[in-house]
Amino acid sequence: MAKVPLFPIGRAREAFLDGASFERNRTALGALDATLAERRAKIAAGWGAEYAERVHKKGKLTARERIELLKDADSRVFEVLAFVNHGRKFGKLESPAAGVVTAYVRVGGRWTMVIANDNTVASGSWWPLSPEKIERAQQMALRLRLPVIYLVDCSGLYLPEQSATFPARTGAGHIFKMNSLLSAAGVPQIAGVFGDCIAGGGYMPIISDRVYMTEQAYMVIAGAALIKGAKSLHLSSLDIGGPEVHVHQSACADVRVPDDETAIAMIRAEIERLPSSGAAYYRHGAQPAAPQQPNHELAGLFPTDHRMTYDADEVLARLVDRSLFWEFCPERGREMVVGVGRVNGLYMGLVANRQGVIDDPEHKGKKKPCGILYKEGIAKLAAFSRACNDDGIPLVWLQDISGFDIGVEAERLGLLGYGSSLIYSNSTNSVPMFTVLLRKASGAGYYALAGLPYEPVVQLSTVLARQSVMEGRTLAIAAYNTKLDDDFEILTQDPKERAEIEAGMRDTEARIEGDMSPYKSAAQMDTDELVSPLELRAWLELFAEASYQSIGYRRIKNPRIWSLHDAAALWEARG
Amino acid sequence: MSAEILHLRARAEGEHMLLECPSVGLFTNAVRAGMALVAGARAGTLLTLGRACELRVPDEVAGLVDGDLHERVQAPVGYGTVLYRLRPLAGATASASKNAAGSDSSGAPLFRSPSAGRFWHRAAPGEPALASVGGMIEAGRAIGLVEVMKTFTLVHYQPTGGLPARARVVRVLVADGAEVAEKAPLLELAPE
């Protein structure tokens, strides 16, 4: 079948969720979203108004002000990795956003990856995880061949923590390797140098195709502080490696501009010289459209208690254009819903875990809980993943999963084999994949559904997300197993010993629950960004547009010749 | 293809009700002790020479399964073998109706559980019960949760099978946290 058979999905909210439960969910999520907004604002403030004032006094803009000026006026900035190092202390100091802003920014109608040193945090120096964060952002750009814009204002490594940033495989030097790989892959890189650009940092702009320097900028292998005799000669770093040297003598930079504003305008002009986005072409004549079922209702669909169910089909209905969807293989593996919908007019493959209970396909009349992977569901995912990869349909994995089925039957049915086939498919896919942790991301289910170890282009966590191998209570039981009976009750009758075991189990449970916090995950780069479920549609629009922007580097089949049609033809009932 | 349905035979023994097997075979998928069985509910499977028949509770019968009489998987049984011993269901009597909604012997409408599991009165500990005696319910209103294998699903009131669109809760028939069978009565209602 050449035509993509999109059908309306979803119902009015009143038809599946009562008003009181909806309000209850919305209130609970509202509190979590408020915390997210508050923490984002704190990160965006860097080290605070005093440091922003210092930057302004020098006649410069802060990193975030530069980005605001750079972006298209009608677009929003999608910051990634904002929570890296959140809550982490280095002595008495904190490093909001690890001292560097990385964000998808639309410039002249093209999505770019902007990497901007935060000059309100220790003069934009690199902290532990700053290199890894920059490299991850470069990787995101490389995967989609998006232009990279470096807004450089960096005084080098934060040296008291140098052992954590210098020598590792992903140490600061790997940033320059990524610069090289981007260049080798033909990805445009443009650098604006706005201030300090010291030591290794100097290589970052140099590999860029175009380098702009403001009058306050300098690039040096070593600054004046390390040059013998500089003091008596009254040499500043600007004298040693300012625009006078690099634009006019060394040719290490291209253009000299008076100030930040001019540099930003010049960078915008460079991006506008690049080919325009392929997205409009790949819409195949369709117009972008909002979901028919109101997207804002995602505020009240998810119970915050991860054990409570919701209707995953209704979530999809509130994410895809016009709430139109082609469910692939709907009769099999009912624990998973997979299929194709449009996002901003562009085809995307979507995968979600159904919640609640389904009929057990192996035992007539019996039921099975969803949020778990069984044989048919895994096979369906693998077939869908391969077909989307073959057809060039970007994949979005919406996770709310407890893991694989376990036990005698699971082993007898060979779930290890089916799971490995899925993992093989996801590991070798070249189509852009994006992962969203809606709530639970547990055990091998997190892996099988293209969790971060499988290198999706981006992985988002909602404020409801929790990543773990095992729940806190279960781990406490496992850790104190020898002290418990068959019903997991404490064996000893000695009051003192009982109190100790109870306290130990409580501590274990509390620590594990704390470790599952999405903020902790984002702080240590186990997920790329935290979002509200209400922001998901906007992020999916970004993913779709960014995936279809650059042409010629990946296969994008027209929908008449999709492998997905072949797979569906073999699955569908005859007649 | 749907399985053939066999109704169990009911026989009273004091205040208990015995449900007997109507055929010979291997009895499997037995409903566990403590679960409620009501008229029309599924009560396991009988495998006879490789053919599966679904066992159903006959009309006029309701009660809680009293002890596990057989292995849950493939217990050999014969004609008249007692498969279940039911003790009276507190607050609910035998259903006189075959439909899912139905009413009790006094004619009061009953709202039944959409699935088997553990029935919970409130959405979270410490919160008020979703349905309480004297309270009004209408289509779509959440009246409790059913827990199946650690997942909790809201039970929404659906006025199907002759139940009133709006009703007052006369009695909550299942204790908080009690196990229920599919179609077990949860609420006794009065139309408004």
Side-chain angles (χ1 to χ4, degrees):
Chain A
M1 180 190 283
K3 191 172 159 57
V4 180
L6 295 176
F7 295 104
I9 57 164
R11 295 166 289 167
R13 194 270 301 155
E14 293 78 8
F16 64 92
L17 183 64
D18 60 292
S21 302
F22 179 78
E23 281 307 322
R24 189 170 174 277
N25 294 342
R26 187 156 76 164
T27 305
L29 181 67
L32 296 174
D33 281 350
T35 303
L36 176 67
E38 185 188 308
R39 291 182 180 180
R40 274 182 184 166
K42 191 161 180 292
I43 288 168
W47 272 1
E50 184 192 335
Y51 287 84
E53 193 51 36
R54 276 194 205 180
V55 170
H56 292 153
K57 273 191 180 152
K58 291 182 192 166
K60 301 205 294 186
L61 300 172
T62 66
R64 285 189 166 77
E65 287 165 347
R66 287 172 186 150
I67 291 172
E68 278 301 306
L69 204 56
L70 179 67
K71 77 178 182 74
D72 289 345
D74 62 344
S75 70
R76 71 160 270 196
V77 171
F78 291 87
E79 196 166 336
V80 285
L81 303 155
F83 286 87
V84 175
N85 285 350
H86 177 71
R88 191 174 173 190
K89 293 264 189 187
F90 302 97
K92 289 180 180 171
L93 300 176
E94 287 190 32
S95 63
V100 56
V101 185
T102 48
Y104 287 97
V105 179
R106 205 181 80 199
V107 179
R110 290 96 168 149
W111 285 104
T112 67
M113 175 57 72
V114 172
I115 298 172
N117 305 116
D118 190 342
N119 49 2
T120 70
V121 177
S123 302
S125 57
W126 288 343
W127 301 79
L129 286 186
S130 307
E132 285 81 357
K133 173 171 171 173
I134 293 169
E135 293 153 17
R136 177 79 180 131
Q138 290 173 309
Q139 188 70 40
M140 289 178 187
L142 180 59
R143 292 284 293 279
L144 302 181
R145 304 294 195 270
L146 302 182
V148 187
I149 299 171
Y150 303 95
L151 305 179
V152 185
D153 201 346
C154 170
S155 55
L157 292 181
Y158 178 69
L159 292 170
E161 299 288 342
Q162 58 180 288
S163 69
T165 48
F166 174 64
R169 187 188 70 77
T170 53
H174 195 68
I175 297 171
F176 321 131
K177 165 144 181 154
M178 288 300 299
N179 289 134
S180 312
L181 294 180
L182 282 158
S183 182
V187 179
Q189 299 181 89
I190 299 165
V193 186
F194 296 85
D196 308 345
C197 184
I198 303 176
Y203 293 104
M204 190 164 76
I206 304 300
I207 295 171
S208 297
D209 302 321
R210 293 287 281 169
V211 182
Y212 290 87
M213 286 186 84
T214 70
E215 290 300 326
Q216 300 201 42
Y218 66 89
M219 304 189 290
V220 289
I221 297 165
L226 293 180
I227 306 294
K228 215 171 175 181
K231 270 189 185 167
S232 57
L233 292 170
H234 303 290
L235 275 179
S236 69
S237 295
L238 203 61
D239 298 321
I240 298 169
E244 188 64 33
V245 175
H246 284 313
V247 175
H248 302 295
Q249 296 171 34
S250 76
C252 285
D254 297 297
V255 184
R256 183 174 185 172
V257 291
D259 51 26
D260 287 20
E261 287 82 353
T262 313
I264 296 290
M266 300 291 272
I267 292 168
R268 275 190 62 86
E270 287 289 1
I271 296 292
E272 285 167 356
R273 285 181 196 113
L274 289 169
S276 57
S277 172
Y281 178 78
Y282 289 115
R283 287 194 178 100
H284 301 287
Q287 293 298 314
Q292 177 73 23
Q293 302 299 340
N295 173 261
H296 64 78
E297 288 179 350
L298 289 179
L301 295 201
F302 300 99
T304 50
D305 183 337
H306 68 95
R307 297 168 306 172
M308 283 182 68
T309 62
Y310 58 87
D311 192 332
D313 297 58
E314 297 296 347
V315 174
L316 291 177
R318 282 153 181 81
L319 288 174
V320 294
D321 288 11
R322 303 180 202 276
S323 303
L324 293 176
F325 189 65
W326 174 28
E327 184 174 357
F328 174 71
C329 195
E331 301 302 323
R332 308 297 290 270
R334 292 282 302 162
E335 68 273 19
M336 300 301 312
V337 49
V338 308
V340 174
R342 280 188 151 118
V343 177
N344 247 12
L346 297 160
Y347 285 120
M348 300 287 276
L350 295 120
V351 173
N353 298 103
R354 286 209 169 90
Q355 306 293 314
V357 177
I358 49 160
D359 290 330
D360 182 347
E362 307 288 338
H363 301 281
K364 197 167 175 60
K366 289 183 80 175
K367 303 276 185 186
K368 277 188 166 180
C370 296
I372 291 176
L373 287 168
Y374 304 104
K375 185 178 90 172
E376 284 186 3
I378 305 167
K380 179 162 87 170
L381 288 180
F384 184 67
S385 173
R386 283 192 292 271
C388 286
N389 184 59
D390 204 38
D391 297 336
I393 308 168
L395 271 163
V396 179
W397 301 81
L398 299 162
Q399 291 200 16
D400 193 349
I401 181 155
S402 302
F404 277 71
D405 190 24
I406 55 171
V408 175
E409 184 178 273
E411 303 304 344
R412 187 172 54 76
L413 291 172
L415 260 56
L416 280 170
Y418 287 101
S420 298
S421 166
L422 172 57
I423 278 176
Y424 185 99
S425 299
N426 288 347
S427 299
T428 54
N429 275 357
S430 58
V431 75
M433 300 203 298
F434 305 91
T435 305
V436 180
L437 311 185
L438 290 176
R439 282 199 319 189
K440 297 179 296 295
S442 304
Y446 168 59
Y447 289 172
L449 268 57
L452 197 64
Y454 292 86
E455 300 185 327
V457 180
V458 181
Q459 175 174 291
L460 303 176
S461 293
T462 76
V463 288
L464 302 167
R466 40 198 287 135
Q467 287 155 284
S468 68
V469 175
M470 207 180 261
E471 291 288 322
R473 176 71 191 157
T474 321
L475 187 65
I477 288 169
Y480 285 83
N481 190 30
T482 56
K483 313 277 188 194
L484 308 176
D485 66 14
D486 271 357
D487 293 324
F488 307 134
E489 300 294 338
I490 297 168
L491 283 167
T492 178
Q493 295 304 316
D494 177 47
K496 188 163 169 263
E497 206 181 331
R498 281 184 77 87
E500 278 174 13
I501 294 169
E502 276 167 12
M505 289 181 72
R506 227 176 11 249
D507 288 352
T508 304
E509 189 174 343
R511 186 174 65 76
I512 297 301
E513 292 291 324
D515 281 351
M516 285 187 218
S517 154
Y519 290 97
K520 176 153 186 175
S521 166
Q524 57 196 28
M525 290 186 67
D526 295 339
T527 202
D528 292 319
E529 189 55 29
L530 301 183
V531 299
S532 162
L534 282 168
E535 295 175 295
L536 284 179
R537 166 78 190 183
W539 278 91
L540 294 197
E541 288 176 6
L542 162 71
F543 294 158
E545 288 185 4
S547 295
Y548 285 99
Q549 174 171 303
S550 298
I551 63 164
Y553 75 100
R554 69 178 185 91
R555 176 165 54 204
I556 302 175
K557 286 204 228 162
N558 82 60
R560 282 187 295 277
I561 53 168
W562 278 357
S563 307
L564 207 51
H565 293 302
D566 306 335
L570 296 176
W571 283 90
E572 279 164 7
R574 291 195 184 112
Chain B
M1 213 177 81
S2 58
E4 187 185 335
I5 291 169
L6 283 178
H7 282 91
L8 298 168
R9 292 188 311 212
R11 177 163 63 86
E13 187 190 62
E15 63 169 7
H16 285 84
M17 186 66 78
L18 304 181
L19 297 181
E20 297 174 343
C21 190
S23 183
V24 177
L26 297 170
F27 175 45
T28 196
N29 294 340
V31 174
R32 274 170 294 184
M35 304 276 283
L37 280 180
V38 295
R42 290 172 177 164
T45 309
L46 190 69
L47 301 165
T48 307
L49 299 177
R51 190 167 53 95
C53 291
E54 191 177 295
L55 298 172
R56 292 276 178 93
V57 178
D59 289 350
E60 311 280 346
V61 171
L64 291 171
V65 177
D66 194 15
D68 289 319
L69 299 184
H70 299 279
E71 290 291 324
R72 293 200 66 234
V73 178
Q74 306 208 348
V77 292
Y79 289 102
T81 304
V82 176
L83 300 185
Y84 297 101
R85 184 181 158 88
L86 304 182
R87 55 194 151 83
L89 191 61
T93 53
S95 169
S97 167
K98 288 179 187 171
N99 68 32
S103 54
D104 70 4
S105 57
S106 66
L110 299 175
F111 179 64
R112 296 169 184 278
S113 179
S115 71
R118 197 178 282 275
F119 183 69
W120 295 96
H121 289 185
R122 49 204 93 236
E127 294 206 357
L130 290 163
S132 48
V133 172
M136 291 295 302
I137 60 173
E138 56 192 5
R141 161 87 183 253
I143 60 103
L145 292 96
V146 171
E147 176 194 353
V148 185
M149 301 181 207
K150 295 190 201 168
T151 65
F152 295 75
T153 303
L154 284 169
V155 178
H156 289 107
Y157 178 63
Q158 298 298 346
T160 52
L163 286 177
R166 272 171 62 83
R168 192 166 45 78
V169 178
V170 177
R171 275 190 296 173
V172 179
L173 301 172
V174 178
D176 196 21
E179 295 221 14
V180 293
E182 187 179 346
K183 297 180 184 169
L186 299 175
L187 304 176
E188 183 184 323
L189 306 171
E192 282 286 321

